[in-house]
Amino acid sequence: MATAAADLFGVNGGGDDESNPLWFKPAAFLSPTFSAPTYIADLRTFVPLETLRSHLRSHLSNLQRDLIDLINRDYNEFVNLTTNLVDVEGVVVRMRAPVVELRGKVEEMRGGLERELVKVRDGLTKREEAARAREVVELLLDTFHVVSKVEKLIKELPSVPEDLSNGDTSATDQSHLSNGIIQHGESGSNTRETQSMLLERIASEMNRLKFYMAHAKDLPFVQNMEKKIHSASLMLDSSLGHCFVDGLQHRDETVIYNCLRAYAALDNTSSAEEIFRTTIVAPLVGKVVKHSLSELVADTSGNELQQDYQLIDQYVENNFKFLLEISSRENSGLHVFDFLANSILKEVLLAIQKEKPGAFSSGRPTEFLRNYKSSLDFLAFLEGYCPSRLAVSKFRSEPVYSEFMRQWNIGVYFSLRFQEIAGSLDSALASPTLVVLPSETAEKQGLTLKQSFVLLESLKSCWSEDVLLLSSSDKFLRLSLQLVSRYSKWLSSGLDARKSSDAGAHPGSEWALPSVTEDFIYILHDIDFLASEISGDYLQLVLQLLASCPADVQDLVKQSVLQSGTSLRDLATPVMKSIIEALVEKSVEDLRQLKGITATYRMTNKPLPVRHSPYVSGILRPLKAFLEGDRAITYLTKDMISDLLEGTAFEITSHYYALAEELVTMARKTESSLRKMRQGAQKRTGTSSDVADQSISNTDKICMQLFLDIQEYGRNLASLGVDVAKIPAYESLWQCVAPADKQNTISF
């Protein structure tokens, strides 16, 4: 294309390179990869678009002019083109003949190839049908040979026992066993071993026969042999069962091993497990359970399983262990059997359901828990006979294991325990008064109130050996936290009711209103003891019981228990505040007597006071009496006493300051008003005031009396161990009533 264009328009593509700038190259338009947007984008960086447009238009004009010149130059040849074409049809006819001949040959060859292809396909189909027919014939021959071999091997077995007619086979089947299988007269070790080896061979052949039957079950030949095969299968099952029972009774390891391999070859492990259960396990387990019942007919604990499990454990060790060891040998191929679950555990479950169904009843929680723990110990004992972790997992995945565990309704058990534990605490908290424990019990338990004692006992019950189920430890942990929360709510409601003097608005708070201030000492002591116990020994007990849990789980448990202890300890602050409010209320009653100081010095000529008022000694009397009581001495710690003194002193002093400031302010206002009235009267009468008589005002006397009072009050606080300098209200009170020369220094 590019060459043709160059030849048509010349090397320069219709333009003169000498007249074009260096950047404009018409030859670029002939490139197969020419792209107009790319071309313009490359040039616009250094050539204005107007200039580029001008050169492109000029180049287009040159191309059009060259095209017209070329057409005009060869116009005559274009016009004469049709005149020069002569005998075109003849040329076409001459060219058509060889093409038609070639087409005929191709079609003939295609037909031959198709016929050969059909023949090849027919041959392949016949060969495939012949191969399938051959396979069927070989399968039928193999089936016939295996059936013949099985019948031959069955005939080689020893004679049948006399009691076979009472077994699983019918009279028709017994007619096929006219040659007999196993007689007791020939029950020697060699006979059993020979028979077991033959049975293993027969089982192996029967396994092959099952494979052939699965692939040829629709063929008439096989259908005609089904009766004979079924009869042989029944004879094999019967003889194998009798041989296995005989081996179990004589503990012949070789016979048992061969029989188990035969059952495994037949993929009939359930029959072996069932025979072992009914023949060996059932009589012994039934004897144990019935024996226990006969001894405990008149006993209320007739559904106890611990002694039964102990006897069964002995039977497992002495009577069942030999089979378990045989079936668990390495590389024996007998791992498909699970005698632990499908024989031993199954029979134990059936025996308990039949003889002691009450053992599974959660209506008697204590007995239920003992039986459940004994059952778990029994399962752990059985798992000890599993040779590997994989065997343990297989044992636990058996349906009978799941069925056994479903008998124990753990949810109902926890519900009963919840009602029992939470109900006892609710009953204790429902008391309309605080119930104080006897002194002996209080000294022994470290608690003073029955409500607190029941809480601690309930918390311990959640984790006691007679109550706790580790599988439900999360529920018991939640219950223990709920118990603490319930106790805290009980205390909080009581404090709120005491503060509002309305027990009706706070259900369960009836105990708070009739309680005296000294009763709250018991609460303070019990809160401190319970919080320390929960965060100490109780927490260690819980963590010890949950030692098998992952570290992160133990951390969460620890945080939860510590948080409950902290929330309980936080209640000490509002309890202390309630005590302080009660003491302050009593003290304020005496403190209000300072209002009488105004009446004492108003409009009188009494001299400056020299001793404190009588009411001062009664301000701290309620606090002293409270701290000197037997309860405070016995149950309050030094820290509690210190907090109580500090809080009470702060509150009383704040009230003292408020009353004193109000009294002084009113005295000064009254004195100012009287002075103004007196000055007005003097101006009207023209008399002068007696300066000497008014040198000490009534306000000064009142302040001096208050100053003497707060000095005595400060001494009383100091005698209790309170540093008045740390009480801001006392400092303000001192500055309010102290003389000018003593305001900066507090001294008594």
Side-chain angles (χ1 to χ4, degrees), residues 80-358:
N80 296 327
L81 182 61
T82 57
T83 307
N84 295 331
L85 296 177
V86 181
D87 196 18
V88 175
E89 294 181 357
V91 173
V92 171
V93 171
R94 289 193 298 272
M95 292 178 61
R96 183 179 296 169
V99 173
V100 172
E101 182 181 0
L102 178 61
R103 180 182 295 173
K105 291 180 179 180
V106 170
E107 291 179 353
E108 181 180 359
M109 183 177 295
R110 177 183 294 174
L113 289 176
E114 289 179 352
R115 289 190 295 272
E116 293 297 327
L117 180 60
V118 171
K119 292 179 181 180
V120 171
R121 287 177 177 174
D122 292 341
L124 291 175
T125 302
K126 292 178 180 179
R127 179 179 295 180
E128 184 178 356
E129 292 176 352
R132 286 200 297 267
R134 181 177 180 180
E135 291 178 357
V136 172
V137 171
E138 291 178 352
L139 180 62
L140 295 177
L141 288 175
D142 290 340
T143 303
F144 177 76
H145 291 157
V146 172
V147 172
S148 300
K149 188 174 182 180
V150 168
E151 290 179 339
K152 180 180 178 181
L153 291 174
I154 289 178
K155 292 179 181 180
E156 294 179 3
L157 290 172
S159 59
V160 65
E162 296 177 358
D163 60 348
L164 183 60
S165 59
N166 297 326
D168 298 331
T169 58
S170 63
T172 304
D173 298 331
Q174 292 177 20
S175 65
H176 293 290
L177 295 173
S178 57
N179 293 328
I181 305 175
I182 313 175
Q183 287 188 355
H184 292 291
E186 299 178 0
S187 59
S189 176
N190 294 333
T191 303
R192 288 194 301 271
E193 185 173 348
T194 302
Q195 181 191 10
S196 64
M197 294 174 63
L198 280 173
L199 290 172
E200 183 182 357
R201 290 181 59 191
I202 296 172
S204 178
E205 295 299 330
M206 286 297 293
N207 191 28
R208 289 179 56 195
L209 185 58
K210 287 182 179 179
F211 174 79
Y212 295 148
M213 289 285 293
H215 289 76
K217 59 183 178 180
D218 297 329
L219 298 178
F221 176 79
V222 175
Q223 292 176 352
N224 293 333
M225 296 183 64
E226 283 185 354
K227 186 175 181 181
K228 184 182 293 186
I229 295 172
H230 180 66
S231 177
S233 178
L234 290 177
M235 287 188 288
L236 175 60
D237 291 342
S238 177
S239 57
L240 183 57
H242 283 79
C243 184
F244 185 48
V245 171
D246 197 21
L248 290 174
Q249 292 174 348
H250 292 84
R251 294 199 178 187
D252 192 327
E253 293 188 8
T254 303
V255 174
I256 294 174
Y257 179 77
N258 292 334
C259 290
L260 291 180
R261 286 179 58 85
Y263 277 116
L266 293 172
D267 193 21
N268 191 19
T269 58
S270 59
S271 294
E273 294 166 348
E274 185 66 16
I275 289 174
F276 178 65
R277 183 185 71 83
T278 56
T279 305
I280 304 299
V281 180
L284 296 177
V285 173
K287 180 180 177 181
V288 168
V289 176
K290 291 181 179 179
H291 179 69
S292 299
L293 282 175
S294 63
E295 285 187 351
L296 300 172
V297 170
D299 194 346
T300 57
S301 60
N303 289 315
E304 291 286 346
L305 298 178
Q306 184 174 4
Q307 294 182 359
D308 294 347
Y309 284 135
Q310 292 175 354
L311 292 175
I312 295 174
D313 291 348
Q314 295 177 8
Y315 283 133
V316 172
E317 181 68 23
N318 300 328
N319 299 85
F320 309 154
K321 183 179 179 181
F322 74 97
L323 181 62
L324 299 177
E325 292 177 346
I326 293 174
S327 62
S328 61
R329 289 177 182 173
E330 294 184 2
N331 302 323
S332 63
L334 303 180
H335 61 279
V336 294
F337 295 94
D338 196 342
F339 293 105
L340 284 173
N342 298 322
S343 298
I344 301 175
L345 182 59
K346 182 178 180 180
E347 181 58 32
V348 170
L349 174 59
L350 293 175
I352 296 175
Q353 289 176 333
K354 180 180 179 182
E355 304 293 344
K356 294 185 176 182

Side-chain angles (χ1 to χ4, degrees), residues 688-704:
S688 61
S689 60
D690 188 356
V691 179
D693 293 340
Q694 300 298 328
S695 60
I696 301 177
S697 65
N698 293 335
T699 303
D700 293 336
K701 296 177 182 179
I702 292 173
C703 288
M704 178 57 67

